[in-house]
């Protein structure tokens, strides 16, 4: 109501002070901007950064000619101004000047202010300005939190600008030492409604040309993110494209693909890629074999499970609890309880403690086969195992 009677620059300045008074209950001297004297402001607004960022930056309407205050430990100086009619480069330069002023005067990292400006650019659909600001901040060695980068990618995805999305993500990869998994998921989710994969494959080729030590890791995480979003075919396209580029897929890449195909029952394709992995000179690890065995057991190919189990052992790879879980459950489920018991005893002989899941699976299958006495014996053994794990000395060691 009060601000409604004001206009132009005075309107924004006075509104800010009145709102801040409601936050601090201070008696404020309201000053208006003048080109000759500037704006003499109180010395406490910098104590309320959340108010400033949430109410001052985000509430500025598009098209207004406004003045932006410069933070200082004690007082504000004159306002600096820019309008939406200025070129994006000029706006970003003024924003950067504002950020550097904050950092110089308040010994702050300026991260919150940067994040607020980028959020403002995204809300106003000025993505080019947001990207230029991110690049410039990177050149100035000013870091941003992951949520700020995620906000930028979300904005590009909402605009359905795949070209801008790819360029933004590439800039982020180069700018940041590492990105969290949510950033990769946001990138992948933007392609759900995109049927033209040419831009995605072009992006993969561009990533492969970048010189940094973790580009294989980046590609692996992109493939995994696409699979997590249910875009399996696109994940496989990226993988096949990666095969023709440098760096080539590594063991982690192949393990990811084996898992994707195995979960979806595409077993023949999974076995084909496993063979290609070995042909490329890569040595399968425990994850590779466990993924194969898990995929094969789902469709009842128990003989193949045993073949890969023996191959794994011959290569000197020790089976772990996951290996035995898959084999014991599978053989018991399909009626070969003798093989299931043999593997169970072999697991204990190797010093691997059976999980409760293994016990329950074995007991259930024994009951189905009519071997009730043996089922009761394993049930008692399971209870004893649980009791041993709950002993006071175990709990004390666990809490250290």
């Amino acid at each position: 109501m009060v601000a409604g009677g004001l206009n132009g620059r005075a309107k924004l300045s006075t509104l800010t002070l009145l709102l801040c008074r409601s936050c601090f209950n201070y008696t404020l001297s309201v000053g208006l901007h003048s080109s000759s004297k500037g704006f003499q402001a109180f010395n406490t607004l910098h104590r309320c950064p959340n108010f400033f960022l949430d109410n001052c930056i985000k509430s500025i309407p598009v098209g207004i000619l406004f003045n932006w205050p410069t933070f200082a430990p004690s007082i504000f100086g004159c306002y600096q101004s820019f309008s939406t009619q200025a070129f994006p480069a000029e706006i970003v330069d003024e924003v950067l000047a504002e950020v550097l002023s904050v950092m110089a005067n308040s010994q702050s990292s300026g991260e919150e202010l940067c994040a607020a400006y980028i959020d403002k650019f995204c809300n106003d659909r000025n993505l080019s300005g947001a990207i230029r600001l991110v690049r410039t901040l990177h050149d100035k060695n000013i870091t941003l939190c992951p949520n700020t980068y995620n906000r930028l990618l979300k904005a590009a995805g909402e605009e359905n600008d795949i070209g801008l999305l790819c360029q933004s993500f590439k800039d982020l990869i180069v700018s940041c030492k590492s990105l969290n998994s949510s950033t990769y998921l946001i990138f992948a989710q933007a392609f759900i409604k995109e049927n033209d994969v040419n831009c995605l494959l072009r992006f993969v080729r561009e990533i492969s040309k970048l010189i940094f030590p973790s580009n294989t890791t980046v590609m692996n995480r992109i493939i995994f993110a696409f699979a997590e979003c249910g875009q399996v075919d696109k994940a496989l396209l990226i993988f096949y494209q990666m095969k023709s580029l440098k760096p080539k897929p590594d063991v982690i890449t192949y393990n990811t693909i084996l898992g994707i195909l195995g979960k979806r029952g595409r077993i023949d394709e999974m076995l084909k890629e496993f063979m290609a992995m070995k042909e490329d000179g890569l040595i399968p690890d425990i994850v590779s074999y466990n993924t194969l065995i898990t995929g094969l057991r789902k469709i009842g190919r128990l003989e193949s499970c045993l073949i890969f189990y023996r191959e794994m052992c011959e290569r000197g790879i020790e089976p772990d609890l996951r290996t035995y879980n898959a084999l014991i459950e599978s053989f018991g489920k399909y009626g070969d309880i003798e093989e299931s018991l043999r593997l169970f005893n072999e697991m204990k002989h190797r010093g691997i403690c059976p999980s409760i899941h293994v016990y329950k699976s074995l007991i259930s299958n024994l009951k189905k086969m009519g071997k009730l006495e043996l089922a009761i014996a394993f049930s008692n053994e399971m209870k004893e195992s649980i009791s041993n794990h709950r002993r006071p000395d175990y709990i004390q060691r666990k809490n250290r």
Side-chain angles (χ1 to χ4, degrees), residues 350-385:
R350 287 180 180 269
I352 300 174
C353 181
S355 66
I356 302 302
H357 177 76
V358 171
Y359 273 114
K360 288 184 176 180
S361 174
L362 190 59
I363 292 168
S364 176
N365 290 324
L366 285 167
K367 288 180 178 179
K368 291 177 182 178
M369 298 294 294
K371 299 180 179 292
L372 299 182
E373 292 184 3
L374 197 54
I376 292 172
F378 278 111
S379 179
N380 293 332
E381 183 179 316
M382 178 183 70
K383 293 176 183 177
E384 183 180 353
S385 175

Side-chain angles (χ1 to χ4, degrees), residues 133-188:
L133 178 58
V134 169
R135 290 175 180 171
T136 307
L137 292 172
H138 171 67
D139 293 340
K140 298 287 184 180
N141 294 319
I142 300 174
T143 58
L144 298 172
C145 67
N147 287 339
T148 303
Y149 293 117
N150 292 348
R151 176 68 182 92
L152 178 57
L153 290 177
K154 281 182 180 178
E158 289 167 359
E159 290 296 309
N160 199 30
D161 192 334
I162 298 300
L164 182 59
L165 177 82
C166 291
Q167 184 60 47
S168 302
F169 191 73
K170 187 171 69 172
D171 288 345
L172 297 185
I173 291 172
V174 175
S175 301
C176 304
K177 293 182 179 179
S178 63
L179 299 175
N180 57 31
S181 57
S182 61
T183 304
Y184 285 90
L185 284 173
I186 291 170
F187 175 76

Side-chain angles (χ1 to χ4, degrees), residues 65-86:
L65 176 63
F66 63 91
N67 296 306
W68 205 266
T70 302
F71 282 92
S74 58
I75 62 171
F76 296 148
C78 298
Y79 275 38
Q80 295 179 350
S81 65
F82 61 83
S83 74
T84 56
Q85 295 179 354

Side-chain angles (χ1 to χ4, degrees), residues 269-289:
E269 293 177 69
M270 180 185 70
L271 293 172
K272 179 182 177 182
E273 293 305 332
F274 182 74
M275 295 302 297
M277 176 184 183
K278 293 193 287 187
E279 290 172 359
D280 288 342
L282 299 174
I283 300 175
D285 58 12
I286 184 65
V287 176
S288 311
Y289 283 104

Side-chain angles (χ1 to χ4, degrees), residues 1-21 30-32 51 55 59 61 64:
M1 295 293 293
V2 177
L6 301 173
N7 55 53
R9 297 170 178 172
K11 176 179 178 179
L12 183 63
S13 303
T14 306
L15 177 61
T16 301
L17 295 179
L18 289 175
L19 285 172
C20 195
R21 187 175 78 174
V30 179
L32 301 180
F51 158 76
N55 295 286
S59 63
I64 185 173

